[in-house]
Amino acid sequence: MAQLTTSENHSANALLQSDQPAFMTVYLAYAEDERRQHYLSLQIQHGATLYEALAQSGWLSKFTELAEWCEGVADIVTPTAKRWHVGIYAQKQPLSYRLQPFDRIEVYRSLSADPMSQRKSKSRSPDAR
């Protein structure tokens, strides 16, 4: 079995790394409200963060409330349950999260009421029968 010397090993690693594409595809989804939903496929550089993808997509310019929210939580490493507005495949992630190929970035909107409470209210109302 042949062994690579240090310089050969370094060259082999460089070749392997150069075989990886410089860009990857991620997807973005945002249901602004019941009628306005936004979807986007985006090519970003490997190693990009969730925040960088939002910026590159143009969504921070298009949705000012999202940009303001991002500014306020930029340094948070552990997402807080009720106040967090972004995630990957329904898992809340910090803005510093390093994206993987084909990740689905989801922007969550604030709900005016708890969906479970709304369903219970509807089932109790006389009109629901």
Side-chain angles (χ1 to χ4, degrees):
M1 181 173 186
Q3 276 190 310
L4 295 175
T5 64
T6 304
S7 62
E8 290 172 328
N9 194 15
H10 179 70
S11 297
N13 284 338
L15 277 174
L16 287 174
Q17 288 174 356
S18 67
D19 288 345
Q20 292 180 341
F23 292 92
M24 62 183 176
T25 301
V26 295
Y27 304 100
L28 291 90
Y30 177 30
E32 191 174 358
D33 59 32
E34 303 86 36
R35 295 188 180 142
R36 290 181 293 185
Q37 298 171 5
H38 309 275
Y39 300 95
L40 182 65
S41 174
L42 185 66
Q43 292 290 310
I44 59 169
Q45 202 160 2
H46 273 277
T49 64
L50 197 156
Y51 180 79
E52 291 167 339
L54 289 172
Q56 185 178 328
S57 71
W59 282 15
L60 297 181
S61 302
K62 186 174 184 177
F63 306 113
T64 55
E65 68 282 355
L66 176 61
E68 290 168 4
W69 177 83
C70 285
E71 285 177 25
V73 300
D75 296 330
I76 295 176
V77 178
T78 305
T80 54
K82 292 187 180 190
R83 302 189 69 215
W84 207 253
H85 294 286
V86 295
I88 306 296
Y89 292 114
Q91 296 293 315
K92 295 177 180 181
Q93 298 291 345
L95 293 174
S96 60
Y97 172 83
R98 296 273 174 207
L99 295 166
Q100 303 298 314
F102 307 110
D103 272 350
R104 177 184 162 103
I105 300 168
E106 299 168 341
V107 178
Y108 312 119
R109 62 186 156 101
S110 298
L111 299 176
S112 57
D114 177 40
M116 293 286 285
S117 300
Q118 287 181 326
R119 281 193 287 271
K120 286 180 185 177
S121 296
K122 284 182 182 179
S123 67
R124 290 185 195 143
S125 71
D127 296 336
R129 295 180 193 162

